[in-house]
Amino acid sequence: MKTQETCEPCTLGDGLLSSEQIQARFALLDGWELAKDHIKKRFDFKGFAKAVEMANLAAWHSNKMGHHADIAFGWGYCEVTYTSHEAGGLTANDFICARRLDELLS
């Protein structure tokens, strides 16, 4: 089911999720890794061009959502990481962006 949620601006400490909230939202994601203060997904490709395209898509999507991912890419891979730098950890915005990025790719 597509999410209709959108990102909301956050500030230091504002909107941080509890461990229980993080686990509940993380359960809705497929293929993402969970760390203390971020979520990350690695996309693998054969070659460089597709990795660049994925990085561009993730950058475009982040800009559209107003919640900017950290993106790393090279030959055969693109890694997209979400964290709420302003809030100092994971907020609903991170999970919203991850789900909506996955929806774009489905």
Side-chain angles (χ1 to χ4, degrees):
M1 180 163 88
K2 286 192 172 191
T3 182
Q4 300 301 314
E5 294 178 294
T6 59
C7 292
E8 300 293 330
C10 54
T11 57
L12 185 60
D14 181 39
L16 288 176
L17 298 176
S18 69
S19 295
E20 293 80 17
Q21 291 170 314
I22 289 170
Q23 290 301 323
R25 285 187 176 262
F26 184 69
L28 300 174
L29 300 178
D30 185 36
W32 290 81
E33 296 175 34
L34 176 62
K36 179 182 175 186
D37 63 351
H38 67 271
I39 54 175
K40 175 172 67 173
K41 188 170 187 176
R42 180 182 172 108
F43 300 88
D44 292 310
F45 304 97
K46 292 184 179 182
F48 186 70
K50 293 290 184 189
V52 171
E53 290 173 9
M54 181 64 209
N56 285 332
L57 175 66
W60 171 84
H61 177 259
S62 292
N63 198 53
K64 181 177 180 182
M65 295 295 294
H67 188 70
H68 301 100
D70 293 327
I71 303 165
F73 67 97
W75 194 96
Y77 78 94
C78 178
E79 289 183 347
V80 179
T81 303
Y82 286 109
T83 188
S84 295
H85 298 287
E86 301 86 5
L90 288 166
T91 67
N93 289 343
D94 302 305
F95 293 94
I96 292 167
C97 286
R99 285 187 63 198
R100 295 200 55 183
L101 180 61
D102 283 346
E103 289 170 2
L104 275 177
L105 297 170
S106 62

